Amino acid sequence: MKISVMRERHPSGGRVALTPANVSALKKLGCQIFVETGAGDAASFSNDNYQEAGAEILESRAQLLEKGEIILCVDASREEALADLKACHICIGLMDPLSNCDRFSNLAKRGITTISLELVPRISRAQSMDALSSIATLAGYKAVLMAASHAPRIFPMMMTAAGTLSPSRVFIMGAGVAGLQAAATAKRLGAVVEAYDIRPAAREQILSVGAKPVELDLDTSSAEGQGGYASKQDEDFLKRQREQMSTVLAQQDVVITTAAIPGAKAPILITEEMVKGMKPGAVIVDLAAERGGNCELSKAGETVTAYGVTILGPIDIAASLPNHASQMFGRNVESLLEHLLDEEGRLTLDFEDEILDQTVITHEGEVRATRIRERLTPLIQPQEAIA
Amino acid sequence: MKISVMRERHPSGGRVALTPANVSALKKLGCQIFVETGAGDAASFSNDNYQEAGAEILESRAQLLEKGEIILCVDASREEALADLKACHICIGLMDPLSNCDRFSNLAKRGITTISLELVPRISRAQSMDALSSIATLAGYKAVLMAASHAPRIFPMMMTAAGTLSPSRVFIMGAGVAGLQAAATAKRLGAVVEAYDIRPAAREQILSVGAKPVELDLDTSSAEGQGGYASKQDEDFLKRQREQMSTVLAQQDVVITTAAIPGAKAPILITEEMVKGMKPGAVIVDLAAERGGNCELSKAGETVTAYGVTILGPIDIAASLPNHASQMFGRNVESLLEHLLDEEGRLTLDFEDEILDQTVITHEGEVRATRIRERLTPLIQPQEAIA
C-alpha cells in the first residue's frame, strides 16, 4: 500500500502520525511511504531522518493526496484535515467521532473510508493501537508539570538550613490512565498524593502508584461502564459526591481532574462554591476542559484565577510533548496497519474482525460504525446512547 | 525593635520578607511588627494571617517608614525599594551588592544602615541565614520543571502498550546548591542525569544525589575558591573545557547551567557552535542568565530558539515559588535578627562578629563592608577583587 503522512496544520499540531522508526517497520511489510516536507520538524524528526528510513519526501499536500492510498494524520477532527480527500482514500487518525458525528454523513457521501483511532475497542489484542491511552498517559504526566510550574510551593518535602518545607498535597480526581499517571508523577516529585475514583476497582490501582485512595460515603455499584471507563451518574449522586468532596478539596495544594465520559459533557466535580473553599494559591488542572470541564470555572485553553485559586484548562496537551507523543501515536498507527495489512502488504477490510468493525466509521458510501450510526438517528437521545 | 515588612513593588515580587510564623517568633523576642497591607497576598499569606500572628497591618508605605526602625524587604537591589528611607533606618534585604556597588556611597551619605543577606559568610553558624542557598535550592528545582515543561519528551522511561519511551538525558553544569537540587529533581522525575563541576570535591556530592559525574581531562586543582564557590578560571582552561564539553552536550535532551561567580560576569560554558551540535528539540535552562549567561545565546528573562534548541534564561526564579521562597527567606531573616537582637529585643551592631562585619554594608555615613569598599576603589580591577 501507498501511505501518505500529512503535516499537521493547526497551531498546536506538533505531532506527526509516523516516526522514522515506524516508516522502517512498514517498509518491511511492503508499504511505500510518502511524508510531507517538514511533517516531523516539531517532533524532532527531520526530512533526512525519514529519507534514511526509506520514505519519500513530497513538497505539497496535493502530491501526497495523489500518491497515497492511505492518508495518515494525527488530528483528523478538523474539517481542513480531510479537505480534498477523494473516494479512493482511506484516512486514519483521531476524529473525535462521538462529539462530532454529523460530519461523517458527508464523508460517507464523498466515498472516503475513515478509520478513527478513538474507536479502537479496549480489548487486550488492541492495546497497542489504543491512542487514547497513549494520549492520556502523556496528559497525566504533563498535567503535574503544569500544576507544579504554577504552584507557589515546591512538591517535595525539603529539610534545609532555613527550616523544613512541608510537601505539597496533590489530589487526583478520576483514576483512569491519565489520573494514575498524574498520581505517579506527583509522587515521583515528592508530593503527598491522594486520588479518588467512583469505580471501586480503582482503589487497588491508586495504591499501586503509591497514592492514597480517598473514600466517600456513596453507592458506587453502577459506576463502571463499558470498556473500563466511568459511566454517567445521576444528578443526586453527583450532588452528594460534591458535598463530601468540598472537605477533601479544602486541604489540597494541587488538584488534577480527569473525569471525562466519551462523547458526553464532562461531569462537574468542582463547583464555584468548592473553589471558594480552597486554599489561596491552590492550583487546579482540569484535563476535561475540552469536554466542558470538571471544574465549573475552567475555560478550555485558558488560565483562570478565581478566589486565589489558579485554574488551568489545557487543550491538546499531548501535542506539547510532540516527540514522545508522536512515538506513541506512530506505534499505535503502525500496530493498526500491521493488523489490517495482509502478507502482501495489501489492505483488506474484514468486518468480522471486532477491531475493524468498531473503528471504520465510513466505507463505500455509508456510515457503518454502530456507535456513530446510533448518534445520527434523531430519535435516540445522546445520553441513552452512552451506556 | 520596631520592624516594618514592605510589600514588594516590582512585577515579579511575589515574595514577602517575613511570614506569619516568623512574626510570631519575633514577637516572642519583644519585637513589634508592622506589615504593609497585601504584602503576603501573592505568597498566600493574608492580612488576617499576619494579624493573628500579632502583626499590625498598615495601609501605606509612608506609615511603615514612619513606624519601623528595621525595614525588611526581599529585593532591595532596586532603587525604589530604598527610596524615602531615613538616616534612622536599618534596611535588611537582598541588595545584589557586588554588581551594584556605587549606590552604597549614596546610601551611606543618607545615613542609612544597610544589611545585605548576600554577604552572609558561608560558615556553619550562619547557614540558617544564607539566603543565596535558599534561592539556589528553589532555582534548581524550578529549572527542572521549566525544562520538562518545554521539552518535547517526557523525563521518565515508560513502558507502555505503544512501546517503550526512552528516558530523557539531563546534564547539569555546575554542582553547587542549585545544580545539585536540579540533579536531584531531574532524577526524581526519572531522567538519566549527569553533572559536571570544575571543583573535584563536587564528585561525591553529584554521586550522592544519584547523578553520574562527567569527568574531563583538565587540571582543576585551583578550581575551588572562597566560601566553596567555584573560582574564576583563565581563558585557556575554559577553551579546553568547551571543546571536551561539546561531545557531552550533543547527547543531551536537557542542559541546566548554574555556573555563576559572585560579582563577576558568568563564564560562557556553551557557545553558539556547541548549541549547533545539540539534538533538535533539546532544552537549555541558563540559571546564570541574569549574570550574562553561561550560554552565549541566552537572554535574561527570555526564551530563545536557535538551531532547534530552546534556551530559557529565567530571572528571579525563586519569586515564581512565592510561598516556599518566602518561608525560606523569612526564616533566613528571622535567624539573622535573632542573632542581632539582644535579650531585651534591642539591636546591637557588634562588628567583632564575623557575620555582622561582612553583611553590614553602610553604617553611620560610611561604606564599611570590605568586599564592597574594595570595589569602590578605582585602582583595583574587579577581577583581582574576586579571588
Side-chain angles (χ1 to χ4, degrees):
Chain A
M1 292 296 285
K2 292 174 177 171
I3 301 175
S4 283
V5 179
M6 312 303 278
R7 181 167 59 76
E8 301 292 306
R9 276 169 167 74
H10 52 278
S12 67
R15 288 171 290 179
V16 57
L18 288 183
T19 67
N22 307 133
V23 169
S24 302
L26 291 169
K27 288 280 287 184
K28 285 188 192 125
L29 296 178
C31 296
Q32 202 179 342
I33 323 271
F34 307 100
V35 175
E36 190 170 353
T37 183
D41 281 356
S44 314
F45 303 114
S46 67
N47 284 353
D48 286 353
N49 296 152
Y50 283 105
Q51 276 172 327
E52 283 156 26
E56 186 180 332
I57 303 292
L58 297 180
E59 291 302 318
S60 74
R61 182 176 163 88
Q63 285 176 296
L64 281 138
L65 292 176
E66 194 194 313
K67 295 217 177 181
E69 297 163 291
I70 296 175
I71 310 296
L72 298 181
C73 39
V74 180
D75 185 349
S77 71
R78 303 173 206 229
E79 268 322 295
E80 65 267 30
L82 304 184
D84 313 320
L85 262 65
K86 306 240 155 39
C88 59
H89 284 136
I90 299 157
C91 179
I92 303 179
L94 295 167
M95 300 186 179
D96 197 10
L98 296 176
S99 34
N100 198 1
C101 299
D102 287 328
R103 65 194 285 245
F104 293 103
S105 306
N106 183 37
L107 288 165
K109 270 184 217 147
R110 287 165 58 194
I112 300 163
T113 300
T114 48
I115 303 184
S116 163
L117 282 164
E118 287 101 332
L119 298 177
V120 167
R122 286 202 149 181
I123 54 177
S124 17
R125 69 189 174 95
Q127 266 188 5
S128 62
M129 310 167 199
D130 185 352
L132 288 185
S133 286
S134 302
I135 290 168
T137 298
L138 297 177
Y141 165 83
K142 191 69 184 249
V144 171
L145 288 184
M146 296 180 83
S149 298
H150 282 82
R153 302 160 52 83
I154 63 170
F155 272 29
M157 184 177 85
M158 217 174 268
M159 288 181 292
T160 75
T164 297
L165 304 179
S166 61
S168 289
R169 294 190 57 153
V170 175
F171 182 47
I172 313 292
M173 300 179 84
V177 177
L180 290 172
Q181 188 58 49
T185 306
K187 194 77 197 163
R188 272 181 184 281
L189 265 178
V192 173
V193 185
E194 292 175 293
Y196 173 76
D197 196 291
I198 47 170
R199 296 165 301 137
R203 192 188 141 77
E204 288 297 309
Q205 295 164 347
I206 290 167
L207 286 168
S208 75
V209 294
K212 184 172 163 257
V214 164
E215 276 161 52
L216 303 182
D217 179 26
L218 293 165
D219 172 19
T220 54
S221 51
S222 66
E224 183 150 341
Q226 198 187 13
Y229 286 105
S231 60
K232 205 171 157 73
Q233 298 293 314
D234 64 26
E235 192 48 41
D236 182 54
F237 178 95
L238 294 174
K239 183 164 169 282
R240 280 180 298 125
Q241 190 183 49
R242 286 197 287 263
E243 280 163 7
Q244 297 180 40
M245 203 53 88
S246 297
T247 318
V248 179
L249 287 171
Q251 300 159 9
Q252 309 300 331
D253 296 299
V254 165
V255 178
I256 294 170
T257 70
T258 69
I261 298 163
K265 192 186 168 305
I268 294 289
L269 304 179
I270 306 180
T271 61
E272 179 165 357
E273 201 58 33
M274 291 154 94
V275 174
K276 251 189 231 181
M278 288 176 71
K279 285 193 206 172
V283 178
I284 298 171
V285 180
D286 186 345
L287 285 183
E290 273 172 290
R291 303 273 174 222
N294 292 141
C295 174
E296 212 168 41
L297 301 179
S298 65
K299 288 197 177 129
E302 289 181 35
T303 298
V304 176
T305 307
Y307 310 107
V309 177
T310 304
I311 305 159
L312 310 178
I315 53 174
D316 258 340
I317 195 165
S320 72
L321 290 160
N323 179 276
H324 272 155
S326 301
Q327 284 187 40
M328 293 179 94
F329 189 85
R331 187 73 192 91
N332 294 142
V333 171
E334 183 193 319
S335 286
L336 179 65
L337 286 171
E338 279 166 358
H339 181 69
L340 299 184
L341 298 172
D342 64 19
E343 281 163 22
E344 279 96 48
R346 277 182 313 235
L347 190 83
T348 44
L349 299 179
D350 166 16
F351 292 114
E352 296 295 302
D353 172 54
E354 185 184 358
I355 298 173
L356 218 69
D357 182 50
Q358 295 207 18
T359 54
V360 177
I361 302 182
T362 59
H363 185 59
E364 296 187 340
E366 275 179 40
V367 176
R368 56 160 314 289
T370 319
R371 284 172 80 189
I372 308 303
R373 266 232 308 278
E374 283 174 349
R375 285 164 171 258
L376 293 178
T377 317
L379 288 175
I380 299 175
Q381 293 299 310
Q383 272 83 343
E384 289 173 51
I386 299 152
Chain B
M1 295 293 285
K2 293 175 177 172
I3 301 174
S4 282
V5 179
M6 312 302 278
R7 180 166 59 77
E8 302 290 307
R9 276 168 167 76
H10 53 277
S12 67
R15 289 171 290 180
V16 58
L18 288 183
T19 67
N22 308 131
V23 169
S24 303
L26 291 168
K27 289 280 286 182
K28 284 185 196 131
L29 296 178
C31 296
Q32 203 179 340
I33 323 269
F34 307 99
V35 175
E36 190 171 354
T37 183
D41 282 357
S44 314
F45 302 115
S46 66
N47 284 353
D48 287 353
N49 296 152
Y50 282 104
Q51 275 172 327
E52 284 156 25
E56 187 180 330
I57 302 293
L58 297 180
E59 291 301 318
S60 73
R61 181 177 164 87
Q63 286 176 295
L64 281 139
L65 292 177
E66 193 194 314
K67 297 217 176 181
E69 298 163 289
I70 297 174
I71 310 295
L72 299 181
C73 39
V74 181
D75 185 350
S77 70
R78 302 171 208 231
E79 269 321 297
E80 67 265 31
L82 304 184
D84 312 320
L85 262 66
K86 306 241 156 39
C88 57
H89 284 137
I90 299 156
C91 179
I92 302 178
L94 295 168
M95 301 188 179
D96 197 11
L98 296 178
S99 35
N100 199 359
C101 299
D102 288 328
R103 65 194 285 245
F104 293 104
S105 307
N106 182 38
L107 288 164
K109 270 183 218 148
R110 288 166 59 195
I112 301 163
T113 300
T114 48
I115 303 183
S116 162
L117 282 164
E118 287 101 331
L119 298 178
V120 167
R122 285 202 149 183
I123 54 177
S124 16
R125 68 190 175 92
Q127 268 189 4
S128 63
M129 311 167 197
D130 185 353
L132 289 186
S133 286
S134 303
I135 290 169
T137 300
L138 297 177
Y141 166 83
K142 192 68 184 252
V144 170
L145 289 183
M146 296 181 84
S149 298
H150 282 83
R153 302 158 54 82
I154 63 171
F155 271 29
M157 184 177 85
M158 217 174 265
M159 288 182 291
T160 74
T164 297
L165 303 180
S166 61
S168 288
R169 294 190 59 154
V170 175
F171 181 48
I172 313 291
M173 300 178 85
V177 177
L180 290 172
Q181 188 58 50
T185 306
K187 194 75 198 166
R188 272 180 183 282
L189 265 178
V192 173
V193 185
E194 292 174 293
Y196 173 76
D197 196 289
I198 47 170
R199 296 166 302 136
R203 193 189 142 77
E204 289 296 309
Q205 295 163 346
I206 291 168
L207 287 168
S208 77
V209 295
K212 185 172 162 259
V214 164
E215 277 162 52
L216 303 183
D217 179 24
L218 293 166
D219 173 20
T220 54
S221 51
S222 67
E224 184 150 340
Q226 199 188 14
Y229 286 107
S231 60
K232 203 171 158 76
Q233 296 294 313
D234 63 25
E235 191 49 40
D236 181 56
F237 179 96
L238 295 174
K239 183 165 168 282
R240 280 180 298 126
Q241 190 183 50
R242 288 198 286 262
E243 280 164 8
Q244 297 180 40
M245 204 52 89
S246 297
T247 318
V248 179
L249 288 170
Q251 301 159 9
Q252 310 300 331
D253 296 300
V254 165
V255 178
I256 294 171
T257 70
T258 70
I261 298 165
K265 192 185 168 305
I268 295 290
L269 305 179
I270 307 180
T271 60
E272 179 165 357
E273 201 57 34
M274 289 154 95
V275 173
K276 251 190 226 178
M278 289 177 69
K279 284 193 207 173
V283 179
I284 297 171
V285 181
D286 186 345
L287 285 183
E290 272 172 290
R291 302 274 174 220
N294 291 141
C295 173
E296 212 167 41
L297 301 179
S298 65
K299 287 198 179 128
E302 290 182 32
T303 298
V304 175
T305 307
Y307 310 108
V309 177
T310 303
I311 305 160
L312 310 179
I315 52 175
D316 259 341
I317 196 166
S320 71
L321 289 159
N323 180 276
H324 272 155
S326 301
Q327 283 187 40
M328 293 179 94
F329 190 84
R331 186 75 192 89
N332 295 141
V333 171
E334 183 194 321
S335 284
L336 179 65
L337 286 171
E338 278 166 358
H339 181 70
L340 300 184
L341 297 172
D342 65 18
E343 281 164 22
E344 277 95 50
R346 276 184 313 236
L347 190 83
T348 43
L349 298 179
D350 167 17
F351 292 114
E352 296 295 301
D353 173 53
E354 184 185 358
I355 297 172
L356 219 67
D357 182 50
Q358 295 206 17
T359 54
V360 177
I361 301 182
T362 60
H363 184 58
E364 296 188 342
E366 275 178 40
V367 176
R368 56 159 315 288
T370 319
R371 284 173 80 190
I372 308 301
R373 265 230 310 277
E374 283 174 347
R375 288 167 168 254
L376 292 178
T377 315
L379 288 175
I380 299 174
Q381 293 298 314
Q383 271 84 343
E384 290 172 51
I386 299 152

